[in-house]
Each structure stands twice: as structure tokens, then as C-alpha cells.
Amino acid sequence: MSNGDIFLGEVIGTAILILFGAGVVAAVVLNYSKAKDAGWVVIAFGWGFGVMAGAYTAAPLSGGHLNPAVTLGIAIDTGDWDKVHIYVAGQMVGAILGAVLCWLVYFAQFQANAEEDKAQPTLGIFSTAPAIRNPVANLITEIIATIGLVLPILAFGLTKGLGESGTAILIVSFLVVGIGLSLGGPTGYAINPARDLGPRLTHAVLPIPNKGTSDWGYAWIPVVGPLIGGALSGLIFNAAF
């Protein structure tokens, strides 16, 4: 894989991931959306399908990491660090692009939300926030949830047929759904630094009326927690397998 292919693949794949993921949250929470109040299960499946669409699209070009925590875990496992920065750069650009596309899709709903008597904050469409703000607990949640993602991804690689058939991506997509349903309640399961930081930056600069805060005081947790989780996954995989 060339550097250009890796970068382009991660941009496209991560943009699709965020378009689907942020899009399903917007669909569920914004007024005048046809999916208004559809609920958490819909959100979890929307994110899972976003992973599926993004990873299958990116796989021929970059392998479809779409997540710096995954890239970090693979680098620790293989010892190959040469292209980590290219993967992460593509993931961040793609995450920002996907957030912009979501805003464009739901532009009318964002405008209508601002015209309501009680305009709702919009950061939750783009990035995560804890149900109970406790930095230590929130960080631990993100670490454990990310291990629940990255360690199985590394283990799936031991079954060659999964990779050859393309089934591994489908299984990872359902894994993300499972993480959302089982572990997403405390923090909203970032499990991906680019997925949270890129859209948070986008939220900060987009001209969304009455958008509320971008909550930079919390922003380090969905970055640091998944990176720790990804690193621990690589170490555990090397030790156990």
C-alpha cells in the first residue's frame, strides 16, 4: 500500500463512518427529523453500519483502520511504525469531512432547532459526553471499551479465512454495535480518538446557531482513553497470543 493510498483510503473510510454515525445521532435527536426519538438501539446499529460501510470502502486502499487506537494496537503488535502518522492524518481529515457532511445533510433541522424556544445543544451529535461526569471513571470506561474493540480485531487476524473472505469487517461492525449496546451507556463509547476529536473540532467552527459548548474540558478523555486501550490491546495480544 502506498502512502497516498493509505491516506486516501482512511480519509474516505473515516468520512463515511462519521457521516453514518453522526448522521444517525442527528436523525434521532433533532426536531423535525423523521427518526426523532428512535432511541439508543438505532444509534448503536447506525454506528455499526457506518463502520461496515467505511471499512469495506477503505479496505482495498488502506486496510480500513479508521481509528488511531486500532492503528496503534496493530503497530505495537507488529512493530511497524513507519506509516502510523499517515493513517492518523487520514483518519483525522476524514472525521472532520464526515462531520461537515452530516451538518449539510441535516442543515434544515439544525436551523429549525435554533428557532425552537428551548434550542437543544448539538455537541452530542458530533462527539461524546459522559452521563455522569467523573474523569477517572470516564477514562476507565473508554479504556475498557476500546480494549473490547481492538483486542478482538487483533485476534480476528489469526483466522485467515476471515480476512480472505472479507467477513472480518462485517464481524467488527457487529462488534461495534455490541460495544454500543453493552458499554456505551456511561460515556457514549468514543473508542476512537479521531471519531471524537475531529467532529468536536468541526462543531467548534461550524456556524450552527445556538450550538452550545464544544466541551473542551472533557475532550481529552475520548482521545487518551482509547489510545491507552489500543496500546494495552497490542501488549495483551503480544503476551497472550
Side-chain angles (χ1 to χ4, degrees):
M1 297 178 184
S2 69
N3 291 347
D5 284 346
I6 290 172
F7 181 78
L8 183 61
E10 293 298 295
V11 169
I12 295 172
T14 309
I16 292 172
L17 164 64
I18 300 302
L19 174 60
F20 277 49
V24 72
V25 180
V28 170
V29 305
L30 285 174
N31 293 324
Y32 307 107
S33 163
K34 291 181 179 292
K36 173 72 173 172
D37 296 328
W40 186 256
V41 173
V42 170
I43 289 174
F45 272 94
W47 276 105
F49 291 142
V51 170
M52 182 174 65
Y56 272 123
T57 304
L61 292 172
S62 67
H65 294 190
L66 314 186
N67 183 342
V70 172
T71 300
L72 178 60
I74 292 173
I76 289 175
D77 172 41
T78 63
D80 184 2
W81 295 85
D82 290 347
K83 299 182 184 296
V84 168
H85 64 291
I86 300 171
Y87 275 96
V88 174
Q91 290 154 8
M92 283 297 299
V93 172
I96 291 169
L97 176 60
V100 172
L101 292 174
C102 171
W103 171 65
L104 291 173
V105 169
Y106 284 94
F107 181 82
Q109 281 72 28
F110 279 113
Q111 297 301 112
N113 174 68
E115 296 168 2
E116 295 290 316
D117 292 337
K118 296 181 179 179
Q120 61 195 101
T122 57
L123 178 62
I125 293 169
F126 296 92
S127 296
T128 61
I132 299 174
R133 191 172 291 263
N134 181 318
V136 174
N138 302 151
L139 184 65
I140 290 171
T141 295
E142 287 294 332
I143 291 171
I144 294 172
T146 306
I147 293 173
L149 172 69
V150 179
L151 186 57
I153 287 175
L154 296 175
F156 294 159
L158 297 176
T159 305
K160 292 184 179 179
L162 291 179
E164 293 171 355
S165 66
T167 311
I169 291 175
L170 179 63
I171 295 174
V172 171
S173 303
F174 280 105
L175 174 62
V176 171
V177 174
I179 291 171
L181 295 176
S182 300
L183 307 176
T187 62
Y189 71 114
I191 60 173
N192 181 339
R195 169 264 176 275
D196 194 275
L197 181 58
R200 195 180 298 268
L201 288 166
T202 306
H203 177 267
V205 301
L206 282 177
I208 302 172
N210 297 325
K211 63 184 174 182
T213 176
S214 297
D215 196 9
W216 291 106
Y218 179 77
W220 67 275
I221 290 176
V223 172
V224 173
L227 289 176
I228 294 174
L232 289 175
S233 296
L235 294 172
I236 293 169
F237 184 78
N238 269 335
F241 296 89

